[in-house]
């Protein structure tokens, strides 16, 4: 059970309070007899982190409320972030296997870098944990200090204890000589006059007979805690990037004429047409002329963005797409749709196979049936060639054989496409015949298509008649696809942080306490969190305005801590 201590002014304080929250009297007997300056950082209020005999919950609270621990966490996070800058992060790669890339590019050190998980530093569990711990520290540090400080500042008593006033860094004491005028109290009149002078200096003044409390810019005391709120929002936004769909940063290639699904989304983007113009020879520098290089002047992607309604990502079925926007993407002018950004950053002139329109041929009779069109991306499951039907039984975008000699695909890109069909129709078995078709001639040779099919289909083959039956994309547009739904919150957090910085940087919380005892004994004390010279000048100016000549240097308390 937490016991409270009661001050002589009648206010009850929590255990651990150093200065009474109301009158400011030092509550410790030894401190009461001291003449050292008072510790005014939190106005002497008790904080949870200072409890004696703490429970395990208090120990956890104390750990996160420690400024020293917060500094260690920040330093550890900075060290971890710097490790992530040694080599490029995985998120910057385009169609590269990181397990191979680091070893081949950077050798043993690169392999160790990858094995330790530093290639994905900013998405790693330990880096996210450090950010969460910093955020927790900010919350606990703020609550541990701001709530007691608010309680102390909202319960200030106008007539402060003499010990409190005399042990401030700015003090003044004097025995006044007032002229008695009738029944009016000259000491109260003097307090009333100096209150007017302080109000001119934009102080909020409260009086209680011969006691005065003047205060201004109290809001600046909350500047550091506004900083904390901004940082907490900032860190939460950074951590929120790990939520699926909140953050995306991919470098992708888009062939002309082929819609490609954007990973982790239900959007497809199509490179409708790619255009590039080059510098003429007379426009290029001598260096490029000597190297005989062609330099692109401008290049753009005429992009169409679709929203997938059905069969999204199905490798066999064609997705049902709805067009949502179009945009001509050039450098620094991305496509922007509901937070999805597509930036132009490169292109390739290497031709890529998009579709082929072969025919079914009877080699013995020379008859041809078809043609029928096969797409390299999302091929149909059924085809018709005259009276014959072809059912797609298997599709291998990049055909290969595993260790057991079984067919497999090395990737989802149509680098060496192979199609397995079951063909049914006149003069063929009821169960049909199997046929494996390689659209590219080089693949037919490499994988011995004739040998594979000879024992199965005999006189039948699938092949294109000419290059007119082949669709090729001349350009591949490389785009940087980004989604960052946390970015607005990062900006909000940064803005709030700057507000806190400005509050604490340009304003100072200043307080002045005055009391007159026995009709003529003046005691003045003042406190600020910074710019003591400015405070002393203000106090001296106010005193001179009521005919009390004081040099600002006289206000400095000679007692040292």
């Amino acid at each position: 059970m937490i016991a409270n201590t009661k001050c002589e002014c009648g206010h009850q304080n929590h255990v651990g309070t150093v200065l009474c929250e109301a009158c400011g009297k030092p509550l410790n007997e030894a401190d009461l007899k001291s003449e050292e300056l008072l510790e005014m950082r939190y106005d002497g209020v008790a904080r949870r982190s200072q409890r004696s005999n703490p429970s395990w919950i208090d120990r956890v609270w104390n750990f996160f409320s420690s400024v020293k621990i917060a500094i260690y966490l920040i330093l550890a996070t900075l060290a971890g972030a710097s490790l992530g800058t040694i080599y490029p992060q995985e998120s910057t790669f385009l169609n590269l296997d990181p397990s191979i890339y680091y070893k081949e590019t950077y050798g043993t050190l690169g392999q160790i870098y990858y094995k330790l998980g530093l290639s994905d530093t900013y998405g790693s569990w330990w880096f996210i944990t450090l950010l969460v711990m910093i955020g927790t520290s900010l919350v606990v540090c703020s609550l541990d200090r701001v709530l007691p400080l608010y309680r102390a500042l909202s319960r200030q008593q106008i007539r402060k204890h003499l010990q409190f006033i005399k042990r401030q860094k700015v003090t003044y004491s004097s025995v006044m000589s007032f002229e008695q005028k009738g029944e009016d109290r000259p000491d109260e009149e003097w307090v009333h006059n100096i209150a007017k002078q302080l109000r001119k200096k934009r102080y909020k003044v409260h009086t209680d007979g011969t006691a005065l409390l003047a205060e201004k810019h109290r809001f600046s005391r909350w500047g550091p805690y506004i900083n904390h709120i901004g940082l907490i929002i900032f860190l939460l936004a950074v951590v929120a990037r790990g939520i699926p769909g909140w953050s995306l940063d991919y470098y992708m290639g888009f062939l002309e004429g082929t819609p490609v699904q954007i990973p982790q989304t239900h959007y497809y983007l199509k490179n409708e047409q790619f255009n590039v113009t080059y510098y003429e020879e007379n426009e290029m520098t001598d260096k490029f002329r000597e190297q005989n290089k062609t330099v692109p002047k401008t290049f753009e992607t005429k992009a169409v963005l679709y929203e997938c309604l059905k069969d999204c990502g199905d490798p066999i079925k064609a997705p049902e797409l709805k067009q949502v926007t179009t945009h001509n993407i050039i450098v620094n002018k991305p496509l922007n749709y509901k937070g999805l950004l597509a930036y132009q950053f490169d292109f390739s002139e290497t031709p890529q196979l998009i579709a082929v329109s072969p025919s079914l041929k009877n080699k013995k009779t020379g008859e041809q049936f078809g043609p029928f069109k096969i797409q390299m991306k999302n091929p149909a499951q059924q085809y018709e060639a005259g009276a014959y039907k072809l059912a797609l039984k298997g599709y291998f975008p990049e055909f290969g054989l595993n260790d057991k000699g079984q067919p497999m695909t090395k990737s989802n890109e149509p680098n060496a496409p192979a199609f397995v069909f079951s063909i049914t129709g006149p003069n063929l078995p009821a169960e049909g015949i199997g046929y494996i078709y390689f659209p590219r001639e080089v693949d037919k040779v490499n994988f011995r298509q004739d040998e594979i099919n000879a024992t199965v289909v005999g006189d039948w083959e699938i092949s294109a008649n000419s290059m007119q039956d082949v669709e090729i994309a001349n350009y591949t547009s490389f785009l940087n696809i980004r989604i960052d739904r946390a970015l607005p919150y990062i900006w909000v957090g940064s803005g709030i942080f700057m507000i806190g910085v400005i509050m604490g940087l340009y304003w100072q919380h200043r307080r002045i306490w005055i009391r007159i005892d026995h009709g003529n004994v003046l005691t003045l004390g003042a406190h600020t969190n910074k710019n003591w010279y400015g405070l002393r000048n203000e106090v001296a100016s106010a005193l001179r305005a009521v005919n009390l000549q004081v040099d600002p240097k006289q206000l400095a308390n000679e007692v040292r801590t």
Side-chain angles (χ1 to χ4, degrees), residues 92-380:
T92 63
F93 295 162
L94 177 65
N95 297 329
L96 290 177
D97 185 349
S99 63
I100 299 173
Y101 172 82
Y102 285 99
K103 184 177 180 180
E104 291 184 348
T105 308
Y106 304 108
T108 303
L109 289 177
Q111 187 179 19
I112 295 172
Y113 190 80
Y114 173 74
K115 293 291 185 182
L116 290 176
L118 297 177
S119 58
D120 187 26
T121 295
Y122 309 117
S124 62
W125 66 268
W126 58 267
F127 191 80
I128 298 299
T129 300
L130 282 173
L131 293 180
V132 171
M133 291 181 71
I134 291 175
T136 304
S137 178
L138 286 170
V139 172
V140 174
C141 277
S142 299
L143 293 177
D144 189 59
R145 291 160 174 79
V146 73
L147 296 180
L149 180 61
Y150 173 79
R151 188 173 64 246
L153 293 178
S154 62
R155 294 176 180 176
Q156 294 183 92
Q157 189 170 289
I158 297 174
R159 185 175 293 275
K160 285 292 188 180
H161 194 274
L162 277 174
Q163 275 270 12
F164 179 85
I165 297 177
K166 290 180 178 180
R167 290 170 63 183
Q168 296 297 323
K169 195 170 180 178
V170 174
T171 60
Y172 178 77
S173 298
S174 176
V175 177
M176 310 289 289
S177 56
F178 297 115
E179 182 180 347
Q180 187 70 37
K181 296 180 181 180
E183 296 182 358
D184 294 336
R185 293 196 55 178
D187 50 358
E188 290 188 6
E189 181 67 23
W190 187 90
V191 170
H192 176 71
N193 290 336
I194 198 170
K196 282 205 263 184
Q197 299 302 320
L198 291 173
R199 287 191 180 97
K200 290 179 181 178
K201 298 180 184 299
R202 299 182 180 180
Y203 279 88
K204 291 183 179 179
V205 181
H206 308 276
T207 58
D208 180 12
T210 59
L212 174 146
L213 166 61
E215 181 179 22
K216 72 175 178 179
H217 300 158
R218 183 195 291 188
F219 67 88
S220 68
R221 292 293 291 274
W222 315 124
Y225 308 108
I226 299 296
N227 290 349
H228 288 185
I229 292 172
L231 286 173
I232 290 166
I233 294 173
F234 182 92
L235 290 173
L236 286 174
V238 171
V239 173
R241 283 176 164 170
I243 300 174
W246 270 60
S247 180
L248 190 68
D249 192 359
Y250 279 112
Y251 292 87
M252 300 178 62
F254 293 85
L255 289 170
E256 283 184 317
T258 305
V260 178
Q261 184 178 20
I262 299 173
Q264 300 180 29
T265 72
H266 56 284
Y267 292 110
Y268 281 68
L269 191 142
K270 180 182 178 182
N271 174 8
E272 188 82 6
Q273 184 180 352
F274 185 84
N275 296 315
V276 59
T277 58
Y278 293 91
Y279 282 103
E280 299 291 338
E281 187 174 352
N282 59 357
E283 296 177 309
M284 292 193 296
T285 62
D286 294 337
K287 181 179 178 180
F288 286 122
R289 284 199 205 95
E290 291 172 2
Q291 296 176 353
N292 198 26
K293 284 188 175 180
T294 56
V295 182
K297 188 175 185 179
T298 60
F299 48 95
E300 69 171 2
T301 301
K302 294 186 177 180
V304 181
L305 186 67
Y306 300 92
E307 184 176 9
C308 181
L309 305 178
K310 188 179 179 183
D311 298 326
C312 306
D314 193 304
I316 301 298
K317 295 182 180 179
E320 185 179 336
L321 303 177
K322 174 186 174 183
Q323 181 176 321
V324 292
T325 189
T326 61
H327 185 75
N328 292 346
I329 306 173
I330 61 175
V331 177
N332 296 327
K333 291 187 178 180
L335 178 149
N336 188 347
Y337 180 77
K338 293 185 177 180
L340 185 147
L341 298 167
Y343 290 88
Q344 183 77 59
F345 81 96
D346 204 354
F347 67 95
S348 171
E349 296 181 271
T350 304
Q352 295 285 330
L353 185 63
I354 295 178
V356 62
S357 299
S359 299
L360 178 63
K361 299 178 182 178
N362 188 322
K363 293 187 288 185
K364 181 180 287 189
T365 63
E367 293 180 280
Q368 294 189 24
F369 305 92
F372 52 95
K373 189 173 183 178
I374 306 174
Q375 296 283 353
M376 298 300 109
K377 291 282 188 178
N378 302 309

